[in-house]
Amino acid sequence: MTTTVRTRVAIVGAGPAGLLLSHLLAEAGIESIVVDQRTRDEIESTIRAGILEQGTVDLLAQIPGSRVHTVGTRHDGIELRFDGHGHRIDFPGLVGRSVWLYPQHEALKDLIAARLAGGQDLRFGVTVHRVEGAETDRPSVFATTADGEDLQLEADFVVGADGSRSNVRVAVAGSHTGGYFREYPFAWFGILCEAPASSEELIYSNSPDGFALISQRSATVQRMYFQCDPDADPQALSEAEIWDTLQNRVPGTTLTEGPIFQRDVLRFRSFVAHELRRGRVAIVGDAAHTVPPTGAKGMNLAVADVILLAQALESLLTRGDGGLIDGWAEKALRRIWKAQHFSWWMTSMLHVAPDASDFDRLRQLGELRSVVESEAGRTYLAEAYTGWPLEP
Ligand code: PHB
């Protein structure tokens, strides 16, 4: 037996994009249901990155009970390190903006608590199989609940915020893989360790043996990465070997070591779906696009998609005006491709390709110098990293 539930907007995915969208829609008086395959605990305990642009922080700060300003920390710059020297990119000095470090799972805890307190219908453990009726006024989501019951969500509009393995994407782009994409011949070996921060700001380091990033999660937990082979086995290195690799890749800084409690290999790729909307179904965030993590753009891009989509849905569903939704994908794609470029550029400028020749290596140092030694170069980086303003 199938239970059918009516809603105005069916949102698949309770990550930052889906939850923020339900919040913005509720503010506009539009009711929605959010479903996610994962349990609440899984969503809230997966430790993920969170470099937030000013616009993202301003939006999160409006969520009742948000801890973004108390638990998050403002970062006024990053360091680019190469050829044994560090170069600070001073964000406020260059563009009058900063970024905030607020791990994604902390933002998700705030969002889930606020949405539930606001009476949001939010269902965990729901597996979505397919979406039908994109070209009609009544698109539907077909799913199975945590108890194994069939569930149909019949809506005015369906949004897939269901991550890089999106099932909703099939209803929009025609297949799971329908998109523009690029793979990279390297990955990141990431660790979480219990230690105080080794540096106040993030260090993006290019060294002859490859890239490393020194990031943070809190005063007592640090996140660090080093470039590795995409097929590397995260269990193959001892803790001592991991620390040797990291120390060697950030010459000039002595990293404070501590017990490593998580390790993973993150493959990366750039992806943009061929279509972001078909009729009354749209995809946002990682369901629509993936960026390599070097530019810290992932969550911010998802938020920008959703801000634009909420405006378009308000126009469509409360005033019957389809003008904004018709232009939504094109508008969102302008920012998405700028962020794709920035993420690709930071990645290729800082990593050492496995087949790099001496020419490539020296050219790369020339590129890094032309960025840090030029105010225009530093300004481009600061502008993109802290986030472009949303177009009106
Ligand atoms: C992270 O802390 O995981 C992180 C920070 C900055 C990036 C990517 C990842 O560019």
Side-chain angles (χ1 to χ4, degrees), residues 134 166-180 271-278 281-283 287-288:
S166 171
N167 268 336
V168 180
R169 191 189 295 142
V170 180
V172 173
S175 73
H176 273 109
T177 52
Y180 307 95
F271 172 82
V272 182
H274 283 144
E275 308 290 341
L276 302 193
R277 179 180 75 96
R278 175 169 303 185
V281 183
I283 45 177

Side-chain angles (χ1 to χ4, degrees), residues 8 25 28-30 310-321:
R8 299 220 69 195
L25 291 174
I30 300 171
Q311 291 165 355
L313 289 180
E314 184 181 355
S315 237
L316 178 72
L317 301 179
T318 62
R319 294 190 289 281
D321 175 356

Side-chain angles (χ1 to χ4, degrees), residues 49-51 188 202 204 213 215-217 223 225 293-296 385:
I51 292 286
W188 281 2
L202 271 59
Y204 288 79
L213 169 61
S215 182
Q216 311 165 2
R217 281 295 171 273
R223 181 71 158 149
Y225 303 94
T294 325
Y385 197 94

Side-chain angles (χ1 to χ4, degrees), residues 218-381:
S218 68
T220 53
V221 172
Q222 310 310 317
R223 181 71 158 149
M224 305 182 192
Y225 303 94
F226 61 86
Q227 177 185 340
C228 68
D229 187 273
D231 294 321
D233 170 6
Q235 304 311 327
L237 295 183
S238 67
E239 290 205 15
E241 287 168 322
I242 292 174
W243 286 114
D244 276 354
T245 309
L246 279 165
Q247 299 279 7
N248 166 53
R249 302 248 181 125
V250 264
T253 294
T254 304
L255 300 172
T256 308
E257 301 182 7
I260 295 173
F261 63 90
Q262 189 185 304
R263 37 168 92 197
D264 38 32
V265 168
L266 261 89
R267 288 168 169 249
F268 37 108
R269 58 189 216 135
S270 302
F271 172 82
V272 182
H274 283 144
E275 308 290 341
L276 302 193
R277 179 180 75 96
R278 175 169 303 185
R280 285 181 171 240
V281 183
I283 45 177
V284 294
D286 285 355
H289 42 70
T290 314
V291 286
T294 325
K297 280 281 151 267
M299 179 167 163
N300 298 292
L301 258 192
V303 170
D305 291 348
V306 155
I307 292 174
L308 292 175
L309 185 62
Q311 291 165 355
L313 289 180
E314 184 181 355
S315 237
L316 178 72
L317 301 179
T318 62
R319 294 190 289 281
D321 175 356
L324 284 182
I325 196 72
D326 286 343
W328 170 75
E330 199 187 320
K331 198 163 177 179
L333 281 165
R334 281 206 286 274
R335 186 187 191 89
I336 291 165
W337 279 111
K338 274 162 75 169
Q340 282 293 358
H341 169 68
F342 176 66
S343 307
W344 166 87
W345 175 68
M346 286 284 278
T347 301
S348 55
M349 178 168 71
L350 287 161
H351 290 73
V352 179
D355 61 351
S357 64
D358 288 347
F359 174 89
D360 297 331
R361 176 88 202 116
L362 292 164
R363 184 208 59 78
Q364 192 179 44
L365 291 175
E367 182 179 11
L368 282 158
R369 280 202 181 90
S370 62
V371 173
V372 301
E373 291 172 7
S374 144
E375 185 166 336
R378 292 194 305 275
T379 304
Y380 167 68
L381 199 158

